[in-house]
């Protein structure tokens, strides 16, 4: 297996994974989407809400706010916590939100008990309050996985595609393929077409249809994939991929142990 990094930003990572099956690449994609535990607002009690929004709408908005922490590893999943799912600082963090209009209530107004915990983005609007309107809410955030509820989805846009192989033979430099390519993959250099940006090719094959000389071939490399992973904001894209692969490894080990018990 070989990994070639294409792009690394806080919220997005792209890399080429070679020498693996489609199932393996898809396993990493799926683990990034919904198998990495993160924090999200789990339960809340609304003591006062005189805004125009129903309690349920406010609860839904608050649940979808990505939450960051300095050290995610100090939290456990509730079912793995020593408190036996009763709730303790090891598996949940309490918060309070109190605001009075006129003003917009933003994610930054949520005050977590632990100063190391905060919303990933400060200016996510929750509700607009007019003169005299008020909200008083308290609750807690806990660690779970995206498969429990989409508010715990650690990844957002996670996808993969086969790495394309573009072969050019007896090209006459007519540039018809360059004109039809929607991804700007091709360019004319020294009277011949060249694949200047093959990673962006979507394998749409419009260039093949446009080439009267039948000089261009595009096909997928079956054991190489381009993975693009975007995170929801709770953890960095790099951390997300590392934790996703650790999750896969953990389960493979558990499966191996079970097999060992059977045979
Ligand atoms: S297959 Fe589509 S995206 Fe790829 S080079 Fe041809 S026209 Fe461009
Ligand atoms: S359409 Fe065919 S001949 Fe024309 S530039 Fe593209 S590959 Fe070359
Ligand atoms: Zn606990």
């Amino acid at each position: 297996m070989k990994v070639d990094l294409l792009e690394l930003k806080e919220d997005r990572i792209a890399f080429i994974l070679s020498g693996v099956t489609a199932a393996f690449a898809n396993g990493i994609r799926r683990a990034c989407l919904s198998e990495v535990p993160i924090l999200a607002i789990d339960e809340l009690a609304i003591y006062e809400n005189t805004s125009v929004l129903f309690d349920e709408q406010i609860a839904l908005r608050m649940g979808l706010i990505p939450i960051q922490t300095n050290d995610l590893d100090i939290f456990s999943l509730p079912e793995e916590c020593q408190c036996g799912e009763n709730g303790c600082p090891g598996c949940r963090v309490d918060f309070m939100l109190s605001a009075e209009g006129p003003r917009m209530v933003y994610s930054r107004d949520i005050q977590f008990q632990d100063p190391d915990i905060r919303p990933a983005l400060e200016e996510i609007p929750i509700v607009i309050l007019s003169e005299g309107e008020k909200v008083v809410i308290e609750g807690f955030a806990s660690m779970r996985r995206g498969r429990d509820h989409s508010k715990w989805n650690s990844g957002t846009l996670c996808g993969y595609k086969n790495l394309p192989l573009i072969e050019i033979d007896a090209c006459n430099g007519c540039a018809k393929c360059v004109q039809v390519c929607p991804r700007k993959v091709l360019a004319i250099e020294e009277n011949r077409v060249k694949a200047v940006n093959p990673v962006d090719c979507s394998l749409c094959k419009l260039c093949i249809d446009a080439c009267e000389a039948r000089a261009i071939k595009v096909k997928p490399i079956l054991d190489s994939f381009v993975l693009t992973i975007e995170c929801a904001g709770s953890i960095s894209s790099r951390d997300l991929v590392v934790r996703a692969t650790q999750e896969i490894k953990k389960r493979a080990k558990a499966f191996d142990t079970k097999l060992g018990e059977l045979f």
Side-chain angles (χ1 to χ4, degrees):
M1 188 200 309
K2 191 166 166 263
V3 181
D4 293 298
L5 188 64
L6 297 173
E7 181 187 355
L8 179 61
K9 291 187 192 155
E10 184 66 14
D11 60 352
R12 183 184 155 98
I13 184 169
F15 53 95
I16 298 171
L17 198 54
S18 312
V20 300
T21 62
F24 187 85
N26 192 36
I28 291 181
R29 181 190 74 86
R30 292 188 63 135
C32 287
L33 263 181
S34 58
E35 296 300 332
V36 176
I38 53 166
L39 283 169
I41 289 179
D42 195 352
E43 286 188 25
L44 47 79
I46 300 185
Y47 297 117
E48 192 168 352
N49 172 23
T50 50
S51 76
V52 292
L53 284 190
F54 291 118
D55 291 358
E56 291 82 353
Q57 289 171 301
I58 292 179
L60 178 70
R61 286 185 174 198
M62 291 181 69
L64 293 174
I65 292 170
I67 295 170
Q68 277 182 350
T69 169
N70 291 352
D71 185 5
L72 197 60
D73 293 327
I74 61 171
F75 292 100
S76 322
L77 290 163
E79 61 270 26
E80 291 172 8
C81 186
Q82 55 184 6
C83 70
E85 289 192 69
N86 287 320
C88 74
C91 62
R92 67 165 66 168
V93 55
D94 293 336
F95 73 86
M96 182 79 199
L97 171 62
S98 177
E100 191 169 347
R103 58 170 292 202
M104 173 69 84
V105 183
Y106 288 103
S107 47
R108 63 167 173 256
D109 296 311
I110 303 172
Q111 301 297 318
F112 287 97
Q113 235 173 31
D114 183 338
D116 287 346
I117 312 252
R118 64 207 163 266
L121 297 164
E122 291 199 336
E123 295 204 345
I124 300 173
I126 297 173
V127 60
I128 187 162
L129 300 174
S130 299
E131 182 75 42
E133 290 179 351
K134 211 172 168 187
V135 286
V136 180
I137 302 168
E138 67 173 32
F140 63 85
S142 54
M143 288 270 281
R144 291 188 195 277
R145 299 176 203 274
R147 64 179 144 95
D148 298 320
H149 188 285
S150 55
K151 64 184 174 181
W152 282 286
N153 269 1
S154 41
T156 49
L157 289 173
C158 300
Y160 73 96
K161 64 174 184 181
N162 281 100
L163 185 66
L165 178 65
I166 302 173
E167 293 174 326
I168 297 150
D169 196 9
C171 170
N172 60 26
C174 72
K176 284 183 181 156
C177 57
V178 179
Q179 287 154 16
V180 297
C181 177
R183 298 284 183 102
K184 304 201 183 322
V185 172
L186 307 168
I188 298 290
E189 287 181 10
E190 295 169 1
N191 295 324
R192 266 180 75 83
V193 77
K194 195 177 168 200
V196 287
N197 186 17
V199 169
D200 276 358
C201 171
S202 63
L203 295 158
C204 68
K205 301 195 174 170
L206 288 173
C207 50
I208 298 176
D209 295 342
C211 181
E212 287 161 13
R214 302 209 172 278
I216 188 163
K217 286 186 195 140
V218 182
K219 57 185 181 189
I221 304 175
L222 296 178
D223 70 347
S224 294
F225 302 88
V226 181
L227 280 97
T228 308
I229 307 290
E230 285 187 15
C231 61
S234 293
I235 50 176
S236 70
S237 59
R238 184 191 173 281
D239 204 12
L240 175 58
V241 175
V242 170
R243 285 174 186 267
T245 52
Q246 284 167 349
E247 283 293 322
I248 294 173
K249 209 167 156 186
K250 209 158 69 183
R251 282 171 211 201
K253 259 189 187 166
F255 183 55
D256 193 40
T257 309
K258 285 275 173 212
L259 282 180
E261 287 164 14
L262 289 174
F263 303 107

